[in-house]
Amino acid sequence: MSAPVVGEGVTRGQVFAWGLWDWGSAAFNAVIVTFVFSVYLTDGVGEDLPGSVSASSWLGWSLGAAGLCIALLAPVTGQRSDATGHRRRSLALLTAGVVACMLLMFLVQDRYQYLWLGLVLLGVGSVIFELAQVPYSAMLRQVSTPKNIGRVSGFGWAMGYFGGIVLLLVCYFGFIAGDGDTRGLFALSTEGGLNIRLVAVLAAVWFAVFAIPVLFAVPELPRATAAADLSGTAVAAADAGFLASYRVLWSDLRELWNTDRHTIYFLVASALFRDGLAGVFTFGAVLAVNVYGIASSDVLLFGVAANVVAAVGALTAGRLDDRLGPKAVIVGSLGSMLAVGAMLLVVSGPLGFWILGLLLCLFVGPAQSAARTFLTRITVTGREGQMFGLYATTGRAVSFLAPTLFGLFAWMFASDRAGILGLLVVLAIGLAALLPVRAPQRDPSGGYRLEPSSR
């Protein structure tokens, strides 16, 4: 018997409000973590840091510690939001926590004495942000039906890409571009890193404004009782203390292993290929400059183009997801990325990288979006938060793999180009692990869903 369709009465306004959170969240991912504030910490705030440990090393360690906290906390926080029926409240509180960390980044002046404050705020913000993505992703079923879940998920990913592009361009031209003591169209002073600190404030306001609609448009779910289909302890999670929640989680995982191991297999496989997908964006700029001769000033332009292409890919593949199922989309995307990556190993010059690099990015969005719909389709209604918490945990557990293999192959062959091999290996392992995982099957309503079965 199929699980109830939670999002049966969903409206376009609710879908749009849900996607706006993704649009706004790009303020943290793109501006704070990737392109602006983290660079400010290493190249500005920590430039004159005394001692033998560089600011970049401290940044890596702080984000590593944040990853460990996420791995430990994500499943339990997701489980509790499911069990108590406070998914929307959890999203509101966690989003507010991220915004608060971003606002406090204004206090981080361009002196090494402020590096520790910046690292703490970035680390804590990263933990809260990842935890916020658990109830947000769990809402996917509330704003979709089995027939359109792929399109809705792809829309969310595309909104995140486009939001990042728009905000980065605003930050660059308004606050950062130019030389001298004032920068950008607003002629902001660089003294004490004021222009970058104001970027953090803008990013915080951006996230806060676009996160509000989903909190009003998507209603709370009742306390989860459907989860009892897999575990009689599920409802107990609502009343369990924090530490006791781990016992409930362990009991649920044992029951899941006994009833449907393919869910566990998918969590492992997705963790592997998602790490490879992350590596494509992580090392793309390094490869563009050091291997293919793209000018440093053009890297931002390539980043904008890459995000546009990834967004278009996510939107297009959403329809294929609904017609063919998420596994077909993921397998096709990973296989295409392996083929394009192999071609990147032998081409040279900026033009070759522009063409093949953008083609590679075309398949990143579809794989990410389809992975989210795959997990939603195979999750019992009412357990989405817990499962997306495990999704975050397994991802963090192997997040060292792509960076390590990239560095290993680059070192072994004394060439940054060889690092591409490391990324391809991770993608290939993830694809191989996914192939034996049973795909969601079409149900009578026209959507795709994994029918309950033993192991």
Side-chain angles (χ1 to χ4, degrees):
M1 185 178 200
S2 295
V5 182
V6 176
E8 198 167 39
V10 68
T11 66
R12 290 185 177 181
Q14 289 175 318
V15 174
F16 185 69
W18 181 78
L20 281 177
W21 192 93
D22 244 329
W23 173 284
S25 71
F28 188 81
N29 263 336
V31 174
I32 300 299
V33 177
T34 305
F35 290 108
V36 180
F37 190 75
S38 61
V39 176
Y40 169 66
L41 286 180
T42 55
D43 293 350
V45 179
E47 184 178 11
D48 299 321
L49 183 69
S52 58
V53 181
S54 68
S56 296
S57 295
W58 284 113
L59 175 65
W61 293 338
S62 65
L63 292 178
L68 177 61
C69 292
I70 293 164
L72 293 174
L73 294 174
V76 170
T77 56
Q79 169 190 272
R80 290 178 67 81
S81 69
D82 287 341
T84 59
H86 292 156
R87 187 175 293 168
R88 186 175 64 180
R89 187 177 73 178
S90 296
L91 181 61
L93 292 174
L94 292 167
T95 300
V98 178
V99 170
C101 287
M102 295 164 74
L103 288 173
L104 289 172
M105 290 175 185
F106 179 77
L107 302 176
V108 182
Q109 298 185 35
D110 189 5
R111 297 201 298 272
Y112 74 83
Q113 291 89 344
Y114 289 87
L115 177 64
W116 319 117
L117 174 61
L119 292 176
V120 168
L121 290 173
L122 185 62
V124 172
S126 296
V127 173
I128 301 174
F129 179 77
E130 290 290 339
L131 295 181
Q133 293 211 72
V134 172
Y136 173 73
S137 294
M139 284 182 173
L140 175 57
R141 180 173 278 156
Q142 294 171 248
V143 295
S144 65
T145 69
K147 292 182 180 181
N148 70 5
I149 188 173
R151 280 169 286 171
V152 172
S153 181
F155 171 73
W157 276 108
M159 288 286 280
Y161 285 126
F162 285 131
I165 294 166
V166 172
L167 184 56
L168 279 174
L169 291 176
V170 170
C171 292
Y172 179 75
F173 290 108
F175 297 74
I176 299 173
D179 298 307
D181 295 333
T182 59
R183 301 289 176 87
L185 295 175
F186 301 115
L188 297 172
S189 172
T190 60
E191 185 177 356
L194 178 63
N195 63 321
I196 303 299
R197 291 155 54 202
L198 287 173
V199 165
V201 174
L202 172 64
V205 173
W206 178 282
F207 193 6
V209 168
F210 290 109
I212 291 173
V214 71
L215 303 178
F216 290 93
V218 181
E220 288 279 24
L221 283 179
R223 285 169 62 118
T225 56
D229 293 342
L230 284 186
S231 171
T233 63
V235 179
D239 304 313
F242 181 75
L243 293 179
S245 295
Y246 284 95
R247 290 196 295 270
V248 176
L249 174 65
W250 178 245
S251 177
D252 286 348
L253 285 175
R254 284 187 302 177
E255 188 66 22
L256 184 63
W257 176 256
N258 291 329
T259 57
D260 187 10
R261 295 183 184 179
H262 281 266
T263 299
I264 303 294
Y265 298 156
F266 174 73
L267 288 171
V268 174
S270 70
L272 292 167
F273 69 71
R274 283 185 290 132
D275 188 45
L277 297 175
V280 171
F281 277 106
T282 300
F283 297 103
V286 174
L287 293 168
V289 174
N290 295 343
V291 176
Y292 298 96
I294 289 182
S296 299
S297 57
D298 292 336
V299 169
L300 180 60
L301 294 178
F302 179 82
V304 170
N307 277 274
V308 170
V309 168
V312 171
L315 285 172
T316 304
R319 294 186 175 275
L320 293 176
D321 186 323
D322 290 327
R323 293 181 61 184
L324 306 176
K327 183 176 180 180
V329 173
I330 299 172
V331 170
S333 297
L334 296 180
S336 299
M337 292 182 72
L338 290 172
V340 175
M343 289 188 280
L344 270 173
L345 286 171
V346 297
V347 303
S348 298
L351 180 60
F353 183 80
W354 270 94
I355 295 173
L356 294 177
L358 291 180
L359 188 58
L360 196 67
C361 293
L362 179 66
F363 300 106
V364 173
Q368 291 173 322
S369 175
R372 180 163 64 183
T373 67
F374 195 119
L375 183 60
T376 301
R377 284 175 165 123
I378 64 176
T379 298
V380 171
T381 301
R383 289 275 295 277
E384 296 90 353
Q386 183 185 84
M387 296 310 298
F388 275 103
L390 291 170
Y391 189 71
T393 292
T394 52
R396 288 290 173 173
V398 301
S399 61
F400 67 92
L401 200 56
T404 300
L405 288 184
F406 180 92
L408 177 63
F409 277 85
W411 171 74
M412 288 174 57
F413 294 94
S415 168
D416 284 349
R417 181 190 294 268
I420 297 174
L421 276 172
L423 301 181
L424 296 181
V425 167
V426 178
L427 290 173
I429 294 173
L431 176 58
L434 177 66
L435 290 176
V437 178
R438 189 173 62 252
Q441 302 298 313
R442 183 179 289 273
D443 65 20
S445 71
Y448 282 84
R449 182 157 183 81
L450 186 64
E451 295 298 329
S453 65
S454 60
R455 305 190 185 182

